[in-house]
Amino acid sequence: MDFALTEEQTAIFDMAHAFGQEHIAPHAREWEAQGTIPKELWPQLAELGFGGLYVSEQAGGSGLSRLDATLVFEALSMACPSVAAFLSIHNMCARMLDSFASDEMKARILPKALTMETVLSYCLTEPGSGSDAAALKTRAEKTNEGFKLNGTKAFISGGGYSDAYVVMCRTGEDGPKGISTLYVEDGTPGLSFGGLEDKMGWKSQPTRQVQFDDCTVPHDMLVGEEGQGFKYAMAGLDGGRLNISACSLGAAQTALNMTLQYMSERKAFGKSIDQFQALQFRLADMEIELQAARTFLRQAAWKLDTKAPDATKFCAMAKKFVTEAGSKTVDQCLQLHGGYGYLADYGIEKLVRDLRVHQILEGTNEIMRLITARHMLAN
């Protein structure tokens, strides 16, 4: 078993890391204060091929593996996990379109998505359906003019900011089989947005409810087939769970690096605090946990790339383990900074806030345990 990255994979990581440190890290706190990410950033990322990381090369994407993609998100989240996670959402949508949209629709929509002239948001969650996603109520009735869409989506990253929304909605019976996917462009009559959510973390990502009131969506904006939308939505989640895990990993690694530097400079009782054995043990525990998390994440990505039968189980297990390891690490790093860790100037408290939501989205960690147990019992 070879655990080494290839030269190409190392180059991918280094390219993403260099871009993040130059173009994202210096502005992360400013963008958080402003509550938005400059739209000009996305075409710059797209020039590196990051607008369609695992969109097929035939469709104009980068055609990277899921393992390759985790390297991109780990590297970018070392600059800002909020920005990196938003890019993950766009890529999940682009992959859905590449996998399930008609050739005509792809030719019409994908080129601008890949250059990130069109930024995409994913609309599944509703005020009354989170973990029970198949219970969604947003409904689209088929008419001569198109689909008449009514309902509300909640916690949408990019709500009122993105250029188009990939929307899961009910076109048929209750349950998963009655769900379809529509592509709704910004400016469509009947599309509106709630107020900006005031969140604990991910503050640079504008988050709003997305509302549909007799929103007429043309027939040719149906993604794939009617009644297949829930399957499409779920197909992207394994990769999404790996990406959000990679965002936790990269941010936690940054926090640990910053903590090592701080402890080498901070003096107490006549010596730097990295010379106290009790604190060295804490550092060792964090390093061990992060290295285990990195190995687990890359194994799960490899299983997804090779279409292993237990890939979904491993993606769920990795998501649970890595996101909790990331949050635990940044919290410990804050503690080791003492009072300074609580100050915004040191950057640690932002990482604590940003990473907390990773245990909730892309399926809560409770759902990750449920998926794992179901696979165990089925076997």
Side-chain angles (χ1 to χ4, degrees):
M1 186 178 292
D2 186 359
F3 289 94
L5 298 178
T6 65
E7 284 187 22
E8 183 180 358
Q9 288 170 330
T10 301
I12 289 169
F13 181 92
D14 290 344
M15 178 173 66
H17 183 264
F19 181 93
Q21 294 306 306
E22 181 177 353
H23 298 286
I24 299 174
H27 311 292
R29 283 186 59 202
E30 176 189 351
W31 295 346
E32 178 176 72
Q34 294 172 349
T36 193
I37 303 165
K39 280 281 188 81
E40 310 86 70
L41 177 72
W42 305 121
Q44 292 178 272
L45 282 161
E47 286 177 9
L48 302 179
F50 295 170
L53 286 167
Y54 28 81
V55 170
S56 60
E57 292 182 274
Q58 298 94 309
S62 297
L64 297 184
S65 70
R66 293 292 184 168
L67 176 54
D68 296 337
T70 64
L71 301 176
V72 171
F73 292 112
E74 180 182 349
L76 289 177
S77 66
M78 295 178 80
C80 178
S82 175
V83 174
F86 192 87
L87 182 68
S88 170
I89 295 165
H90 171 88
N91 272 276
M92 181 162 61
C93 293
R95 171 66 182 212
M96 282 181 68
L97 295 171
D98 181 37
S99 299
F100 305 114
S102 66
D103 290 341
E104 182 277 328
M105 187 180 194
K106 283 194 283 188
R108 190 161 32 96
I109 289 170
L110 265 185
K112 287 188 176 181
L114 296 178
T115 61
M116 296 196 76
E117 185 179 340
T118 298
V119 175
L120 303 174
S121 281
Y122 178 86
C123 297
L124 175 64
T125 301
E126 297 186 357
S129 63
S131 294
D132 186 10
L136 63 85
K137 301 294 185 186
T138 296
R139 179 168 288 278
E141 294 182 13
K142 201 169 186 178
T143 68
N144 290 334
E145 293 77 33
F147 292 92
K148 186 179 287 186
L149 188 59
N150 283 282
T152 301
K153 297 293 180 179
F155 306 114
I156 304 305
S157 292
Y161 169 92
S162 292
D163 303 294
Y165 301 87
V166 178
V167 181
M168 272 50 74
C169 54
R170 192 164 300 287
T171 53
E173 62 193 44
D174 289 344
K177 294 182 180 178
I179 296 171
S180 301
T181 301
L182 294 177
Y183 183 90
V184 183
E185 294 180 320
D186 187 39
T188 301
L191 171 65
S192 63
F193 308 96
L196 190 67
E197 303 287 5
D198 187 5
K199 310 185 297 293
M200 174 182 174
W202 277 23
K203 286 179 173 285
S204 63
Q205 288 189 31
T207 302
R208 291 180 173 87
Q209 287 193 346
V210 177
Q211 299 159 345
F212 309 99
D213 299 290
D214 286 341
C215 181
T216 301
V217 182
H219 291 131
D220 63 2
M221 291 300 193
L222 173 70
V223 178
E225 301 175 19
E226 276 190 57
Q228 297 297 305
F230 191 74
K231 183 178 78 174
Y232 300 163
M234 294 300 106
L237 284 179
D238 281 345
R241 287 163 184 162
L242 297 177
N243 293 349
I244 209 64
S245 300
C247 289
S248 284
L249 184 61
Q253 187 64 62
T254 286
L256 182 54
N257 294 346
M258 292 165 64
T259 302
L260 284 165
Q261 181 65 33
Y262 171 80
M263 291 176 67
S264 72
E265 298 168 353
R266 176 77 162 91
K267 298 288 197 298
F269 306 104
K271 56 185 176 181
S272 62
I273 62 173
D274 61 1
Q275 298 305 302
F276 292 97
Q277 189 181 64
L279 302 187
Q280 291 176 351
F281 285 173
R282 286 204 190 186
L283 292 172
D285 286 343
M286 288 190 285
E287 174 71 1
I288 291 165
E289 194 152 13
L290 285 187
Q291 292 296 351
R294 184 173 285 110
T295 301
F296 200 173
L297 172 61
R298 292 179 182 176
Q299 181 192 25
W302 172 77
K303 280 182 175 284
L304 190 58
D305 284 330
T306 57
K307 297 180 171 57
D310 56 358
T312 292
K313 173 188 170 186
F314 270 77
C315 289
M317 291 193 298
K319 194 267 184 182
K320 185 266 180 196
F321 184 84
V322 180
T323 57
E324 290 180 8
S327 282
K328 182 179 174 182
T329 297
V330 295
D331 183 67
Q332 284 295 304
C333 288
L334 189 152
Q335 186 71 18
L336 288 169
H337 273 75
Y340 292 108
Y342 210 65
L343 302 181
D345 286 348
Y346 282 73
I348 299 292
E349 61 85 33
K350 176 183 180 296
L351 297 179
V352 173
R353 291 186 289 102
D354 280 346
L355 293 201
R356 184 59 185 83
V357 75
H358 294 191
Q359 297 178 55
I360 297 171
L361 47 78
E362 302 288 6
T364 65
N365 283 8
E366 287 74 20
I367 293 295
M368 298 306 99
R369 293 173 174 87
L370 187 62
I371 291 169
T372 302
R374 282 178 175 171
H375 278 78
M376 293 170 68
L377 296 171
N379 292 329

